[in-house]
């Protein structure tokens, strides 16, 4: 069978099946049809076989693409010259009689057959229809309809298609089923499309029975959904986006219409952002929803029937109810009055469960089968009864048990209290929420934190319980890396600090909470010293010196501007490990504040890690005992060089630090690890997630160093345009060494420099700008990471044959090592000596140190240096080439390796044997060429430039022996490439 490219994702085979059925026009079915004589005569039933005209039923759930498959097949065969007509049974009012409605539809088909015999055929039909009221009249009419259709098809062959079969009235479906089973028109293939129907539905019994074949459309696979998303958006997407779409749809995950509805909703809300050539999600992954159109929601999410407005409205109320709190059946069925609001809600649940829209777990918990449906329903016009229902559910329990007992025995009621708002007074709400928090802390910390947050919205700042609630909430959140939860305490914390006149114990607790808040702000890359930050937070930090010092550390790790460390004496806040209970009588338990909040001495060590060796040594001696081994100190300084706050905290705090969570700092820590180990695709994915999260309007801030590291990766891959795009996002005021290093590389390789430096050679311009950045970083005390800037400057001066500049830069690098005594700086010095003095021993020592620390990019630099100065250059060139291939390094690295190979008269190894099979990427490229995609479309899908596509195609032409895109596509389709052994698996 000839295969044709289809724009429908995952439906290629189904389109071909429908097209094959439509192509059988004019072929006999092998059985007689009735005569238009007013009574039935000698009919035989049969089934089409082989290439004979056939009847096909295309079926599948809502939104699976039945209509799209049939329409695509219709367009395909129409281009081949096949005539396809629609049986419009839904057009016009028509009489209620099923046969009469079918007769009108058939006459409509006949009117489209232009062979001059329309009046005779219609007259024959109407004569029999006029006598159809008598015995056997309906059978005679159906026989006549089959005959006239067959007669028309003999003159002008055509096929029939019929859509939305499940909506066909029962009598019409019965008449059509009988026509197709007994009086099938010879030579007329019929393709029907509709949802699967229940056995009791007449159409559900008649039409499948009349079909030669039932073609079911299965749900799309996850890979197909990913391709559908990319095609719909016209650009590559982050894998997280596809994962979030699938998770939001539940049982509808494989429905193309549902996927497209979610994407349309995201576009309407501005929830998509293109970064680095890929589309990212800027809304919380749990916040995806279908388009809030009642008709569309009913069509997609009610499997067996389209709901009326009342049903959708009731579902919206229930969605609002379960969206705020956990609801169980017992909550809705407990009320005695049969006409009460909860009883009505219970009946709604029963109906929605029957419709398979809502599920009820074994514990009675109510949930929507499709989360995106619930999210969409909650956007429909709000109903006042939702808050009332929350209040009613709460009061039914508190009237029976009392507030404290209700909160202890039913902690999930806290969600209902929060949603009910002012409908429940504070005298009832506060004790219930406190009891619920204390009860749920043992098994569900999220519930406990939300309960404490609800309490703080009701307690006045001067209430003696407020410090304890703040303290316990912050402790719970930090223990589970919920930094967003800690930041949500900002407003009540400020209010309490403004009125604080309490005893020393409460004061200590508030100071600890303020330090926790400062730490969480840094984790989310938000600095209180940013120009856009609320000045109230800076004022609050000034009242808590230990928190002020902690917040100031951010500037040393690329988080906000660098500010001087406070010189005032630290607060009397207890050290980690002490019991910082508030003494409020809540029974919080000891040590909730110990752990992830660094002590003042540890904060000083974090800050000193970016500075001089002497400063770092003084800070190290300030940390009590032998808490930090040499390996931990090395990890701290390595993390400081990349502005990796999470990595630095992990090195300092050890087991006290909770690495889990999704904070910006933790994501950046993963990005740095992926960069050093060579998983650059994952590193770029992390950068895109950080950027999208920072632009989503949530609590997270901007990751300036993530932008710089992404620019560095794209630079090394030769994607200068994308590297510049990342750097353009970084303000000029950011002077971290990692930013300076990326700027130097991009300026040198692209010749883009500040206008103030115009008129000089590109290398001189780049070096002068880099020296300015180095001086600025030194002036800010940011020494960690400067070694890599100086090493890049040195490689430029060595290639540029600038002895004076080389000596100057090497001297500066060696002076930096004298000042910092950092292991990373020592590695850079060894590599520099190998580059400048041809010292193979130094380069080899650097290579061994780098291998032990795991830094694949610097390892490539070491191998390139050893290729130049080593006794046997070939092994080092081979390793550098292999590592560069793993990293996907582009022109900047390949040109250096090529120059080294020419100087030593050795050859760069080929990546694969000449006749090795095609890679997966090459197979994908050939497939896109065969589909007719342009270079621009291919570049968008592969996240590369059009020039890169041209280069890859040129290599493909050389490997396959094809001279053009047409020949390449032909060789792929006719199996020539497979026969040559180039296709994997052949």
């Amino acid at each position: 069978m000839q295969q044709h490219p289809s724009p429908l994702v995952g439906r290629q085979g189904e389109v071909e099946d429908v097209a094959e059925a439509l192509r059988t026009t004019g072929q006999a079915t092998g059985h007689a049809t009735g005569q238009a004589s007013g009574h039935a005569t000698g009919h035989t039933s049969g089934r089409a076989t082989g290439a004979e005209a056939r009847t096909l039923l295309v079926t599948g759930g809502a939104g699976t693409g039945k209509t799209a498959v049939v329409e695509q097949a219709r367009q395909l065969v129409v281009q081949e010259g096949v005539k396809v007509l629609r049986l419009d049974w839904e057009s016009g009012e028509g009489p209620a009689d099923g046969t009469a409605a079918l007769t009108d539809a058939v006459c409509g088909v006949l009117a489209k057959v232009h062979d001059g015999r329309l009046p005779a055929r219609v007259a024959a039909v109407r004569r029999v229809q006029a006598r159809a009221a008598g015995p056997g009249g309906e059978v005679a009419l159906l026989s006549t309809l089959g005959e006239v259709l067959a007669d028309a098809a003999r003159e002008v062959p055509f096929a029939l298609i019929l859509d939305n079969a499940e909506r066909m009235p029962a009598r019409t479906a019965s008449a059509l089923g009988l026509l197709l089973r007994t009086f099938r028109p010879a030579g007329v293939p019929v393709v029907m499309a509709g949802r699967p129907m229940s056995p009791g539905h007449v159409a559900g019994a008649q039409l499948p029975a009349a079909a030669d074949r039932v073609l079911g459309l299965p749900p799309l696979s996850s890979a197909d959904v990913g391709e559908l998303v990319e095609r719909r958006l016209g650009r590559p997407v982050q894998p997280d986006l596809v994962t979030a779409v699938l998770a939001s749809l539940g049982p509808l995950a494989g429905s193309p219409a549902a996927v497209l509805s979610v994407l349309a909703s995201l576009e309407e809300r501005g929830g998509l952002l293109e970064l680095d050539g890929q589309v990212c999600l800027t809304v919380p992954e749990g916040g995806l929803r279908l388009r809030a159109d009642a008709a569309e929601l009913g069509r997609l999410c009610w499997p067996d029937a389209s709901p009326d407005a009342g049903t959708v409205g009731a579902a919206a109320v229930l969605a609002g109810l379960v969206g705020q709190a956990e609801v169980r059946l017992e909550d809705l069925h407990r009320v005695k009055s049969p006409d009460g609001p909860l009883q009505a809600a219970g009946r709604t649940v029963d109906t929605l469960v029957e419709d398979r829209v809502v599920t009820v777990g074994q514990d009675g918990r109510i949930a929507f089968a499709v989360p995106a449906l619930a999210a969409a329903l909650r956007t429909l016009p709000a109903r006042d009864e939702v808050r009332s229902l929350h209040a009613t559910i709460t009061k039914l329990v508190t009237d029976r048990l009392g507030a404290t007992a209700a909160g202890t025995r039913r902690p999930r009621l806290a969600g209902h209290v929060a949603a009910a708002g002012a409908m429940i007074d504070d005298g009832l709400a506060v004790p219930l929420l406190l009891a619920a928090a204390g009860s749920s802390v043992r098994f569900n910390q999220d519930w406990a934190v939300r309960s404490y947050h609800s309490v703080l919205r009701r307690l006045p700042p001067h209430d003696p319980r407020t410090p304890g609630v703040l303290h316990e909430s912050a402790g719970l959140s930090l223990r589970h890396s919920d930094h967003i939860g800690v930041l949500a305490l900002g407003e009540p914390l400020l209010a309490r600090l403004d009125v604080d006149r309490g005893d020393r114990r409460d004061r200590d607790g508030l100071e600890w909470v303020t330090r926790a808040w400062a730490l969480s702000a840094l984790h989310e890359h938000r600095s209180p010293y940013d120009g856009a930050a609320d000045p109230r937070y800076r004022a609050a930090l000034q009242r808590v010196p230990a928190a002020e010092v902690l917040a100031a550390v951010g500037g040393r790790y690329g988080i906000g501007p660098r500010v001087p460390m406070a010189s005032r004496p630290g607060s009397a806040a207890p050290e980690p490990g002490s019991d910082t209970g508030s003494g409020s009588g809540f029974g919080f338990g000891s040590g909730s504040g110990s752990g992830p909040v660094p002590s003042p001495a540890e904060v000083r060590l974090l800050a000193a890690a970016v500075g001089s060796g002497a400063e770092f040594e003084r800070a190290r001696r300030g940390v009590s005992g032998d808490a930090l081994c040499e390996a931990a100190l090395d990890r701290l300084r390595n993390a400081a060089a990349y502005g990796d706050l999470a990595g630095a905290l992990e090195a300092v705090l050890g087991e006290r630090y909770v690495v889990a969570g999704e904070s910006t700092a933790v994501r950046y820590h993963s990005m740095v690890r992926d960069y050093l180990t060579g998983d650059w695709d994952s590193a770029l994915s992390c950068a895109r997630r950080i950027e999208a999260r920072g632009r989503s309007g949530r609590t997270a801030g901007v990751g300036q160093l993530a932008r710089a590291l992404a620019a560095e990766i794209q630079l090394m891959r030769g994607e200068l345009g994308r590297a510049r795009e990342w750097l353009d996002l970084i303000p000029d005021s950011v002077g971290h060494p990692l930013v300076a290093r990326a700027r130097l590389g991009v300026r040198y390789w692209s010749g883009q420099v500040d206008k103030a430096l115009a008129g000089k050679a590109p290398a001189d311009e780049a070096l002068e700008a880099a020296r300015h950045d180095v001086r600025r970083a030194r002036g800010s005390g940011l020494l960690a990471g400067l070694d890599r800037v100086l090493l890049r400057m040195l490689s430029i001066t060595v290639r540029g044959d600038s002895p004076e500049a080389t000596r100057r830069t090497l001297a500066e690098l060696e002076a930096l090592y004298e000042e910092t005594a950092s292991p990373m700086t020592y590695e850079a010095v060894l590599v520099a000596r190998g580059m400048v003095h041809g010292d193979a021993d130094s380069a080899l020592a650097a290579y061994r140190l780098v291998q032990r620390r795991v830094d694949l990019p610097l390892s490539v630099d070491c191998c390139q240096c050893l290729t130049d100065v080593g006794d046997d250059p070939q092994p080092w060139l081979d390793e550098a080439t292999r590592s560069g291939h793993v990293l996907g390094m582009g022109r900047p690295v390949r040109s250096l390796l090529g120059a080294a190979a020419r100087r030593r008269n050795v050859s760069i190894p080929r990546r694969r044997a000449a006749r090795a099979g095609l890679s997966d990427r090459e197979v994908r490229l050939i497939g896109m060429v065969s589909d007719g995609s342009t270079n621009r479309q291919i570049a968008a899908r592969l996240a590369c430039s059009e020039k890169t596509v041209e280069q890859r195609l040129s290599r493909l032409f050389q490997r396959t022996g094809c001279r053009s895109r047409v020949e390449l596509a032909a060789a792929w389709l006719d199996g020539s490439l497979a026969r040559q052994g180039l296709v994997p698996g052949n």
Side-chain angles (χ1 to χ4, degrees):
M1 178 179 15
Q2 184 181 7
Q3 295 289 321
H4 297 269
S6 171
L8 302 181
V9 174
R11 301 291 188 227
Q12 178 78 12
E14 288 83 355
V15 169
E16 286 293 338
D17 287 342
V18 175
E20 183 183 8
L22 294 174
R23 291 187 186 107
T24 59
T25 56
Q27 298 173 10
T29 59
H31 65 274
T33 58
Q35 301 298 320
S37 57
H39 60 278
T41 60
H43 306 294
T44 59
S45 177
R47 281 289 184 268
T49 59
E52 297 173 344
R54 66 178 84 184
T55 299
L56 177 67
L57 174 62
V58 181
T59 187
T64 52
K66 302 176 293 295
T67 301
V69 166
V70 173
E71 176 60 21
Q72 180 61 30
R74 185 195 70 80
Q75 294 179 11
L76 185 63
V77 300
V78 166
Q79 292 173 1
E80 299 170 1
V82 178
K83 188 176 185 65
V84 182
L85 303 177
R86 297 184 186 276
L87 186 65
D88 293 326
W89 61 269
E90 292 182 293
S91 60
E93 296 292 333
D97 185 88
T99 307
L102 180 60
T103 300
D104 291 342
V106 169
C107 289
V109 170
L110 295 173
K112 300 172 185 175
V113 179
H114 304 294
D115 64 347
R117 300 184 60 186
L118 173 63
R121 294 189 186 108
V122 173
V125 170
R126 296 307 183 188
R127 280 197 304 270
V128 177
Q129 185 181 20
R131 300 192 296 269
E138 182 176 358
V139 174
L141 178 58
L142 292 176
S143 175
T144 301
L145 293 178
E147 176 62 24
V148 296
L149 285 172
D151 178 67
R154 282 192 292 270
E155 300 298 326
V156 181
F158 64 88
L160 285 178
I161 58 175
L162 179 151
D163 203 0
N164 298 317
E166 77 281 357
R167 298 211 302 263
M168 182 176 284
R171 295 188 64 184
T172 306
S174 179
L176 178 61
L178 184 58
L179 171 66
L180 294 178
R181 291 201 316 274
T182 307
F183 308 105
R184 179 182 301 181
V188 182
V190 180
V191 173
M192 302 175 288
R195 293 190 192 183
M197 291 160 279
S198 60
H201 195 288
V202 174
Q206 297 286 352
L207 298 183
D212 296 310
R213 179 184 175 192
V214 177
L215 177 63
L217 298 186
L220 296 181
S221 67
S222 299
D224 287 336
V225 170
E227 185 177 352
L228 176 62
V229 172
E230 286 198 357
R231 286 199 187 184
R232 168 62 179 79
L233 299 179
R235 291 153 290 174
V237 300
Q238 275 276 108
D240 290 353
L241 172 56
V242 177
T243 302
V245 170
L246 291 171
S248 72
L249 290 175
L252 290 182
S255 166
V259 172
L260 295 176
S261 179
V262 170
L263 294 178
S265 174
L266 284 171
E267 289 182 316
E268 292 170 359
R269 301 160 60 191
L272 299 174
L273 174 68
E274 184 173 0
L275 283 171
D276 200 39
Q278 292 195 9
V279 179
C280 306
L281 190 64
T282 61
V283 301
E285 292 184 0
L288 274 66
R289 62 179 185 241
L290 298 164
R291 290 182 67 248
D293 177 85
E296 182 172 317
L297 295 178
R299 179 177 63 85
L300 289 175
C301 302
W302 269 257
D304 296 326
S306 296
D308 55 25
T311 302
V312 174
V317 172
L318 185 63
L321 192 65
V322 301
Q324 295 292 324
E326 182 178 302
V327 181
R328 301 189 183 184
L329 277 179
E330 63 185 57
D331 297 326
L332 303 181
H333 292 161
R334 188 179 292 118
V335 64
K336 295 180 179 179
S337 170
D339 298 323
L342 292 185
Q343 197 68 32
R347 289 194 295 270
T348 298
V349 171
D350 294 340
T351 301
L352 294 175
V353 169
E354 292 175 2
D355 291 339
R356 289 178 287 167
V357 173
V358 164
T359 62
V360 179
Q362 292 184 349
D363 59 355
R365 183 177 179 180
I366 298 169
F368 277 76
V370 179
L373 168 63
L377 289 171
R378 285 192 282 270
T379 65
L380 297 178
R383 300 294 186 92
D384 295 335
E385 57 261 37
V386 174
R387 293 178 64 193
S388 175
L389 286 172
H390 284 296
T392 302
I393 291 172
T394 303
K395 290 177 180 177
L396 282 173
V397 181
T398 56
D399 290 346
R400 184 163 50 90
L401 299 178
T404 302
T408 301
R409 295 170 59 180
R410 303 275 199 282
R412 58 190 174 83
L413 287 175
H416 294 288
V417 172
M423 298 189 75
I424 297 180
D425 62 84
D426 293 346
L428 175 65
V430 170
L432 187 153
L433 290 169
L434 290 175
S439 176
S440 59
V441 71
R442 295 186 299 274
F443 64 90
N444 193 321
Q445 289 76 22
D446 289 339
W447 280 9
V449 169
R450 287 198 295 267
S451 297
Y452 283 133
H453 286 189
S454 297
V455 169
L456 290 170
R457 285 192 290 270
R458 293 176 178 269
L459 285 179
H462 55 77
D463 191 290
R465 294 170 292 185
T466 299
V469 175
L470 284 167
H471 185 276
E472 186 66 7
S473 180
L476 282 173
S477 294
L478 278 189
R479 282 209 297 267
H480 297 88
S481 296
D482 178 18
H483 297 286
I484 299 294
V486 178
L487 291 179
L489 301 175
E491 288 294 333
L493 175 62
L494 287 176
R496 178 65 192 192
L497 288 173
D498 287 340
V499 302
D500 180 49
R501 297 294 185 270
D503 60 23
R504 184 69 221 180
R505 189 173 177 83
D506 282 349
R507 178 67 184 177
D508 289 348
L510 287 174
E511 289 186 352
W512 183 87
V513 174
T514 309
R515 292 162 60 200
W517 182 91
L519 178 65
S520 291
L522 294 182
H523 261 91
E524 294 301 341
H525 281 208
R526 296 181 68 87
S527 171
Y529 302 104
D530 279 333
D534 191 332
R536 295 180 301 160
Y537 290 111
R538 291 194 290 273
L541 290 175
Q542 290 175 357
R543 296 200 293 271
V544 184
E548 185 180 20
V549 172
L550 178 56
V553 169
R556 288 157 175 76
Y557 287 80
I559 304 170
R562 189 185 185 285
V563 295
M565 302 288 284
S567 58
R568 292 176 292 145
S571 77
E575 296 294 313
S578 64
D579 182 356
T580 56
S582 65
S584 56
F586 292 161
F588 288 150
S590 63
S592 67
S594 63
V597 179
S599 68
E602 290 168 332
V603 171
R604 287 191 291 272
L605 182 62
L606 289 168
V610 305
S612 68
E615 180 185 358
F616 183 72
E617 181 61 24
R618 285 194 300 272
R620 187 194 66 78
R621 288 197 298 267
V623 178
S624 60
D626 298 326
L628 293 172
C629 62
E630 289 300 322
L633 293 173
D634 286 347
R635 291 198 303 273
L636 169 59
R637 303 193 80 176
N638 293 343
Y642 286 93
D644 178 10
L645 177 68
L649 286 168
E650 184 179 14
V652 171
L653 300 180
E655 294 181 355
R656 289 159 44 206
Y657 182 66
V658 182
V659 186
E662 294 295 328
S663 71
T664 302
V666 169
R667 288 179 184 268
Y668 180 62
H669 176 62
S670 297
M671 183 183 180
V672 172
R673 183 185 61 244
D674 291 338
Y675 168 77
L676 294 175
T677 57
D679 191 355
W680 282 6
D681 288 335
S682 294
L684 288 172
S685 182
C686 283
R688 288 188 286 265
R689 286 197 295 268
I690 291 171
E691 187 70 21
R693 194 166 184 256
R695 299 193 194 188
S696 65
R698 287 171 280 175
T699 310
V702 176
Q704 303 291 4
L705 298 192
R707 292 169 169 174
L709 197 54
E712 174 70 15
I713 292 172
Q714 294 291 27
L715 166 68
M716 290 293 97
R717 286 188 160 180
E719 298 287 348
L720 297 182
R722 291 205 172 129
R724 283 194 294 271
E725 289 173 3
W726 280 111
L727 282 179
D728 288 344
L729 297 174
I730 304 175
D732 293 337
S733 58
V734 179
H736 193 277
L738 185 58
V739 179
R741 171 177 151 197
R743 282 174 178 157
L744 170 60
V746 171
R747 284 168 176 160
Y748 174 73
W749 286 104
S750 66
Q752 299 294 321
V753 292
D754 297 334
K755 293 181 179 180
L757 301 174
K760 300 182 179 180
D764 294 336
E765 295 172 348
L767 289 170
E768 186 169 339
R771 294 193 188 283
H772 170 75
D773 289 339
V774 168
R775 288 193 298 269
R776 181 167 59 160
R778 273 189 164 281
S780 299
L782 302 178
L783 303 183
L786 276 183
D787 49 270
R788 298 301 299 274
V789 184
L790 292 170
L791 187 60
R792 177 162 288 172
M793 293 171 60
L794 192 67
S795 68
I796 293 173
T797 60
V798 168
R799 289 196 301 274
D801 194 20
S802 305
E804 180 57 35
T806 299
R807 285 192 294 271
R808 174 185 173 187
T809 306
L810 178 60
E812 192 169 353
L813 181 56
E814 291 176 332
L816 179 67
Y817 174 62
E818 293 281 339
E819 187 175 359
T820 63
S822 163
M824 284 185 68
T825 308
Y826 180 56
E827 295 167 2
V829 169
L830 290 175
V831 176
R833 289 171 179 169
M835 292 168 53
V836 176
H837 301 308
D839 186 347
D841 291 337
S842 293
L844 182 59
Y847 170 80
R848 290 169 176 164
L849 290 173
V850 170
Q851 288 289 100
R852 190 178 308 130
R853 182 169 60 84
V854 185
D855 186 339
L856 190 57
L858 186 56
S859 176
V860 174
D861 291 342
C862 293
C863 291
Q864 186 266 323
C865 181
L866 285 165
T867 301
D868 260 324
V869 303
D871 294 334
D872 185 2
Q874 190 67 59
W876 298 112
L877 182 60
D878 293 348
E879 182 174 345
T881 303
R882 286 194 301 269
S883 298
H885 179 57
V886 169
L887 297 173
M889 288 181 163
R891 179 192 166 206
V893 177
R894 290 199 304 268
S895 64
L896 297 179
L897 295 178
R902 288 190 295 272
R903 284 193 295 270
R904 299 302 302 273
N905 196 26
V906 292
S907 60
I908 296 180
R910 297 177 65 87
R911 292 185 183 178
R912 59 169 69 91
R915 301 303 298 171
L918 297 169
S919 66
D920 291 340
R921 187 173 67 176
E922 288 171 330
V923 169
R924 186 184 180 194
L925 176 58
I926 295 174
M928 286 185 281
V929 170
S930 301
D931 287 342
S933 300
T934 65
N935 282 3
R936 176 172 297 181
Q937 292 169 330
I938 294 173
R941 293 183 63 186
L942 296 182
C944 63
S945 65
E946 291 185 58
K947 184 176 180 180
T948 300
V949 174
E950 293 174 0
Q951 293 170 347
R952 292 177 183 175
L953 283 175
S954 297
R955 289 194 292 269
L956 272 175
F957 294 153
Q958 294 174 357
R959 298 197 62 216
T960 60
C962 299
R963 293 172 294 179
S964 67
R965 293 166 62 99
V966 174
E967 287 189 12
L968 182 63
W972 172 257
L973 294 175
D974 66 14
S976 298
L977 297 182
R979 289 192 293 273
Q980 295 176 41
L982 292 174
V983 179
N986 287 278

